[in-house]
Amino acid sequence: MKNLISLFLTLFTVLSVYGQSGTVTGRILDESKLPLSGAYIYLDGIQGNSTDINGYYTFVDVPVGSHELTVSFIGYEESKATIDVMDGQTTVQNFNLEPGVSLQEIV
């Protein structure tokens, strides 16, 4: 009986920690506050997503804890932010990208 109770408590603890997740969402805009459609955003450098036509992105079932978001878009400087995801909560992280180095024509 003691072993059964210990097994149950261990299983309950593992399942409750495993199931903790949240949502990360936000919007990516340019320097003029216009949406950047198709900007790419990475979560911890592994999971990626692109923005919709209005510059919005969403990641669901993100494990609880600290994560790094990295945004890139052609012609703009890369931007990073560290976020903290909490169980059952939506974390909002918006970005305003600045134009990157422009290439000049070589004659």
Side-chain angles (χ1 to χ4, degrees), residues 1-68:
M1 183 68 171
K2 242 183 185 180
N3 289 338
L4 185 59
I5 293 172
S6 294
L7 177 65
F8 177 73
L9 289 175
T10 303
L11 184 60
F12 179 75
T13 303
V14 169
L15 289 177
S16 64
V17 170
Y18 178 74
Q20 294 181 343
S21 66
T23 300
V24 177
T25 188
R27 193 172 193 200
I28 302 172
L29 305 173
D30 67 9
E31 73 282 2
S32 301
K33 306 295 184 226
L34 296 173
L36 288 175
S37 173
Y40 211 74
I41 184 159
Y42 292 96
L43 178 69
D44 294 328
I46 300 170
Q47 185 180 3
N49 200 354
S50 60
T51 57
D52 67 13
I53 195 165
N54 295 312
Y56 289 100
Y57 71 91
T58 301
F59 290 100
V60 295
D61 295 328
V62 178
V64 169
S66 182
H67 299 277
E68 183 177 71

Side-chain angles (χ1 to χ4, degrees), residues 6 13 16 44 55 61 75 79 87 93-94 96 98 103-104:
S6 294
T13 303
S16 64
D44 294 328
D61 295 328
S79 183
D87 186 34
Q93 180 63 55
N94 298 315
N96 292 312
E98 296 295 325
L103 301 176
Q104 298 184 6

